[in-house]
Amino acid sequence: MSVLGHALLGLLSRKPATGYDLAKVLEQHVGHFWTARHSQIYPELGRLEEAGLVRHTVIAGAGPRPTKRYSATAAGKAAVRDWLRATAAPVDPKEILLRVYLVNLLPPAEAIEVLTVLRDHHAAMVQTFEGLASAQAGPVGFESPAYGDWATLSWGIEFERGRTAWLERLIAGLRPDPDDAS
Amino acid sequence: MSVLGHALLGLLSRKPATGYDLAKVLEQHVGHFWTARHSQIYPELGRLEEAGLVRHTVIAGAGPRPTKRYSATAAGKAAVRDWLRATAAPVDPKEILLRVYLVNLLPPAEAIEVLTVLRDHHAAMVQTFEGLASAQAGPVGFESPAYGDWATLSWGIEFERGRTAWLERLIAGLRPDPDDAS
DNA sequence: AGGCGCATGTAAGCCGTTACATGATTCC
DNA sequence: GGAATCATGTAACGGCTTACATGCGCCT
């Protein structure tokens, strides 16, 4: 299933909503890292329903067509949790952020595991990029045709470090209190 | 013209290359932030040629079809520089990195201006996101449905801060030496 | 009376990926 | 002889954006 499908399923696992509601969330709240329009959302809801992962009831509302309130079925809720638990580090950048966005659908212990896999992935990327950078000798001059390579690689390092630190902070926030020092 | 078109034009401004060469660059060197496949590149080169921005000569080489070496025309080189100088902050994330990647096609003074516009854009985003974050009261608990919003927003802040710092470092590296302290 | 927000749907088109298609040269 | 690399092109398909289409209820 598509990344968008998992996003909708995750939101509907929290609480029922109309397609219009979901469109608002995916245009605004989640907007720092991702957007989706209603023209994508309505067909995707249809596909999720065909797959038995969501269900709708018709409610009172404005508009020429019936207003539909969708909710996740038991199978749908299980599907999001299974997707969150999948250990392979996701390739699609927005899928990474979506996992974090939805991670509290899992109990804290499992959430920590998910975040740890992601942190390890980014920490490994820091190593990889630093290796590439040290293969070139020092900072490259502005006149060099390799300036762009060097500059964007140094961004890559900055990015992966930031990701790692951010995930580390989230994990630290979830670890159970050590209780005492005795 | 598309972002890919500017990328190809920028690379060809540096030195002539075959479509195959360009495909290798866009799959490997530039790969930390972007990739493009040959199936996109060949048609785009055709479009650039139609627009008079690049030109090709047939050279000796392997393969069932003629091997073409492309180079940017004077009009093509001027077009990339104009695009780089355009002051509006680009919306497409990969366009931002492409500008940095190609920024040394401009003389240092103009390059600093381009980088400064980008830095100011990201610095403003830091302000915006910090405003959103302080609107909510403190860090949101894991159990809250707003946990995901809070977590991804804090990533947004981390990201924009990192971008700003990175661009600031690039700018600092380009500023002419103060020469002395008297 | 007009504009905005609610609410759902479809169509055209671009961008990008994967896969199909072809064939010469060079190295093992 | 076979595999990798050089080299160019097309086709099918999915994701996403923009635009078209419709119409009710509420607020000013």
Side-chain angles (χ1 to χ4, degrees):
Chain A
M1 199 194 353
S2 70
V3 177
L4 175 61
H6 286 113
L8 299 176
L9 207 47
L11 290 169
L12 291 175
S13 291
R14 289 212 179 109
K15 66 169 183 182
T18 65
Y20 187 85
D21 294 333
L22 293 168
K24 270 194 299 181
V25 172
L26 290 186
E27 272 169 19
Q28 297 165 23
H29 286 259
V30 196
H32 330 298
F33 71 94
W34 193 21
T35 57
R37 306 298 166 90
H38 75 272
S39 58
Q40 257 189 293
I41 291 168
Y42 290 120
E44 186 68 36
L45 284 170
R47 268 170 248 137
L48 290 173
E49 186 148 46
E50 252 184 279
L53 302 171
V54 303
R55 204 186 292 125
H56 82 264
T57 54
V58 173
I59 60 170
R65 269 174 285 264
T67 294
K68 300 174 184 173
R69 166 176 277 126
Y70 285 90
S71 52
T73 62
K77 288 176 189 179
V80 204
R81 291 211 185 88
D82 287 347
W83 169 76
L84 277 168
R85 275 188 281 252
T87 49
V91 178
D92 188 337
K94 69 192 177 208
E95 190 174 337
I96 296 177
L97 286 166
L98 183 62
R99 272 160 188 261
V100 175
Y101 185 74
L102 296 176
V103 80
N104 70 339
L105 291 173
L106 295 176
E110 288 187 289
I112 288 173
E113 266 181 74
V114 170
L115 296 175
T116 302
V117 169
L118 294 176
R119 184 207 53 191
D120 291 347
H121 168 70
H122 288 292
M125 290 300 288
V126 172
Q127 293 298 309
T128 305
F129 282 174
E130 281 178 345
L132 288 174
S134 66
Q136 308 177 325
V140 173
F142 179 76
E143 311 294 337
S144 163
Y147 179 79
D149 285 325
W150 168 79
T152 53
L153 181 56
S154 75
W155 162 247
I157 294 170
E158 176 93 38
F159 175 91
E160 298 295 346
R161 277 196 193 134
R163 263 297 165 82
T164 307
W166 171 63
L167 287 164
E168 191 55 45
R169 266 183 273 128
L170 293 181
I171 292 166
L174 292 193
R175 266 194 280 262
D177 277 326
D179 244 8
D180 71 344
S182 67
Chain B
M1 200 192 355
S2 70
V3 177
L4 176 61
H6 286 113
L8 299 176
L9 207 47
L11 290 169
L12 291 175
S13 288
R14 289 211 179 108
K15 66 168 182 182
T18 64
Y20 187 86
D21 294 332
L22 294 168
K24 270 193 299 183
V25 172
L26 290 186
E27 272 169 21
Q28 296 164 23
H29 286 261
V30 196
H32 331 297
F33 72 95
W34 193 20
T35 57
R37 306 298 165 92
H38 74 272
S39 58
Q40 257 188 293
I41 290 167
Y42 290 119
E44 187 68 36
L45 284 170
R47 268 171 249 135
L48 290 172
E49 186 148 46
E50 250 184 279
L53 302 171
V54 303
R55 203 186 294 126
H56 82 262
T57 54
V58 174
I59 60 169
R65 270 174 284 265
T67 295
K68 301 173 184 175
R69 166 175 278 126
Y70 285 90
S71 52
T73 62
K77 288 177 187 177
V80 206
R81 291 213 184 86
D82 287 347
W83 169 77
L84 277 168
R85 274 189 281 252
T87 48
V91 178
D92 189 337
K94 70 193 176 207
E95 189 174 338
I96 295 177
L97 286 166
L98 182 63
R99 271 160 188 261
V100 175
Y101 185 75
L102 296 175
V103 78
N104 70 340
L105 292 173
L106 296 175
E110 288 187 288
I112 288 173
E113 267 180 73
V114 169
L115 296 175
T116 302
V117 169
L118 294 176
R119 185 207 53 191
D120 290 348
H121 168 70
H122 288 290
M125 290 301 288
V126 173
Q127 293 299 308
T128 305
F129 282 175
E130 281 179 345
L132 287 175
S134 65
Q136 309 177 324
V140 173
F142 180 75
E143 310 294 338
S144 162
Y147 179 78
D149 284 325
W150 168 78
T152 53
L153 181 55
S154 76
W155 163 248
I157 294 170
E158 177 93 37
F159 175 90
E160 299 294 346
R161 277 196 194 133
R163 262 298 164 84
T164 307
W166 171 64
L167 288 164
E168 190 56 44
R169 266 184 274 130
L170 292 182
I171 293 166
L174 292 193
R175 264 194 281 262
D177 278 325
D179 243 8
D180 72 343
S182 66

